[in-house]
Amino acid sequence: MTTTAEKATNTEKSDWLKILLTQRIALLAVLIVIIVVTFFINDAGGYLTAPYDFDYMSASLINAVPLAMLGLAELLVILSGRGGIDLSVGAIVSLAGMGFGFAYGEWGWPLWLAILGTAAFGALLGAVNGFLVSYIGFPALIATLATFYAYKSLAIVINNQQPISTEPIQELFSLSKPVELPLIGQYLPDVPLGIFTFLLPTAVAVWLLLARTTYGRRLYAIGTNDVAARWAGLPVRDTRFKAYVYAGLISGLVAVVTVGQFASARPDAGVSGNGMALPAITIAVLGGVAITGGIGRVAGVVLATLLIVWLNAGILLAFVGNEGSQYQLLALGAVLVFAALLNGLTNRKYGGTS
């Protein structure tokens, strides 16, 4: 016979389980702590090839800047519903990066103007996606796959498959340098400059767009039920179109980040290896963005990025040679499956995450 104390304990466990399943922020925070503690223990036991410490974790955040920004781009398009997804973000990074290389590295534009021009060019490329999806009615998967191939090809042929590595471009490597935090920096590791110059402004801008504007409320509404939104008089096509434009704009900013990181405008910057699109989509889904649309938060995407970046950083130290990079792919696939199963379980049991 179950006692009152046992019932209270079971109820408490059920409440904690519900919190972890429905509050993706809480779950991600717990997973980050588990991953970091696990690698710290392995480091203390001598099982890693190099120290996994706070300095190493901070240095690895340089990879978080483009990934988190593209995750926020995917957040916008997936929120729009109707199978919203953008497979072309990596190719936009490549093509816009070449445009930035020409503007700043060869044509002598001022840096601020080159950055604005690259962001506008990325928005234009995103507008092509938005037009195909919102006004022509193409499925997002097909439309953005087609533009992925088109943008990727243009990035390669625009400069005869050659990167742009002029002196002004090489000097942009300073955008990726680590900097000391003001006031408390002497007690903490240095943080990559891109966190403050690109990632944080983008995250704040997307949060304000979604949480504090009429457009954000419309985007959640059409992602949840665009038929009802249309009957309510909301501009469904225009709202969805703008989501792809904003995703392209963010991708254009990521192009500037990658040029600074590589000290070169590379035609394959966003598509080499497995590209940037699939990790960005994985981060968005892991961050609690419902692939069906209408559900997702900026904080979830940022925390999911930290989890992926610090997991990958630890995996690299757990194996000798190039084996670590292959296990990173395995981990990325496992995380994506886990996130999809978790989203499905949460939707069935509790009606979604928050």
Side-chain angles (χ1 to χ4, degrees):
M1 192 172 180
T2 305
T3 65
T4 303
E6 290 175 337
K7 287 182 179 179
T9 302
N10 292 335
T11 301
E12 186 176 349
K13 290 180 179 178
S14 178
D15 290 342
W16 277 109
L17 178 61
K18 183 177 180 179
I19 289 173
L20 290 177
L21 288 178
T22 59
Q23 302 294 325
R24 185 55 58 91
I25 306 300
L27 177 62
L28 289 171
V30 170
L31 291 176
I32 289 173
V33 170
I34 291 173
I35 286 172
V36 171
V37 169
T38 298
F39 283 119
F40 275 5
I41 293 173
N42 279 274
D43 180 32
Y47 298 110
L48 302 182
T49 58
Y52 188 97
D53 52 22
F54 290 115
D55 287 328
Y56 179 69
M57 292 172 61
S58 180
S60 68
L61 290 178
I62 192 172
N63 298 317
V65 178
L67 285 179
M69 292 175 67
L70 290 181
L72 293 172
E74 294 293 347
L75 165 67
L76 293 172
V77 296
I78 296 174
L79 277 179
S80 69
R82 288 280 176 167
I85 200 168
D86 192 345
L87 298 178
S88 71
V89 289
I92 293 177
V93 170
S94 295
L95 184 53
M98 293 301 293
F100 178 76
F102 281 116
Y104 183 67
E106 296 194 353
W107 300 339
W109 288 20
L111 179 59
W112 67 269
L113 183 59
I115 292 175
L116 288 179
T118 303
F121 183 46
L124 177 63
L125 298 176
V128 174
N129 291 334
F131 178 76
L132 292 175
V133 173
S134 303
Y135 291 99
I136 303 300
F138 281 13
L141 181 67
I142 302 301
T144 59
L145 183 61
T147 55
F148 164 81
Y149 289 128
Y151 298 158
K152 177 182 177 181
S153 298
L154 287 173
I156 291 174
V157 304
I158 197 172
N159 198 40
N160 297 318
Q161 303 183 36
Q162 298 300 313
I164 300 174
S165 303
T166 58
E167 185 176 347
I169 294 294
Q170 293 180 17
E171 292 174 352
L172 285 177
F173 187 72
S174 60
L175 292 176
S176 303
K177 68 179 181 181
V179 295
E180 183 178 294
L181 295 174
L183 301 179
I184 60 173
Q186 57 183 324
Y187 307 107
L188 298 172
D190 292 347
V191 178
L193 181 60
I195 295 286
F196 305 103
T197 54
F198 286 94
L199 176 54
L200 284 181
T202 301
V204 171
V206 173
W207 179 81
L208 289 173
L209 180 69
L210 294 178
R212 293 292 184 267
T213 67
T214 302
Y215 173 80
R217 291 189 289 273
R218 288 175 179 172
L219 188 62
Y220 279 108
I222 71 167
T224 303
N225 190 330
D226 63 349
V227 175
R230 188 175 290 109
W231 278 101
L234 298 182
V236 174
R237 288 184 175 181
D238 180 67
T239 302
R240 185 170 286 134
F241 170 79
K242 288 179 180 177
Y244 287 89
V245 174
Y246 292 140
L249 187 151
I250 294 173
S251 301
L253 293 175
V254 173
V256 178
V257 173
T258 58
V259 170
Q261 288 182 352
F262 295 135
S264 173
R266 291 173 38 182
D268 64 342
V271 297
S272 61
N274 294 284
M276 290 183 170
L278 296 183
I281 294 169
T282 302
I283 285 170
V285 175
L286 178 62
V289 182
I291 202 67
T292 52
I295 299 174
R297 295 171 61 184
V298 170
V301 172
V302 173
L303 286 178
T305 304
L306 293 178
L307 190 152
I308 291 294
V309 167
W310 285 336
L311 174 63
N312 283 342
I315 290 174
L316 279 180
L317 300 184
F319 299 93
V320 179
N322 295 325
E323 289 184 14
S325 60
Q326 301 305 315
Y327 281 101
Q328 282 181 335
L329 297 178
L330 174 62
L332 192 64
V335 166
L336 182 57
V337 171
F338 168 77
L341 290 175
L342 190 62
N343 285 351
L345 172 64
T346 305
N347 285 330
R348 286 193 301 270
K349 193 174 181 67
Y350 300 109
T353 62
S354 62

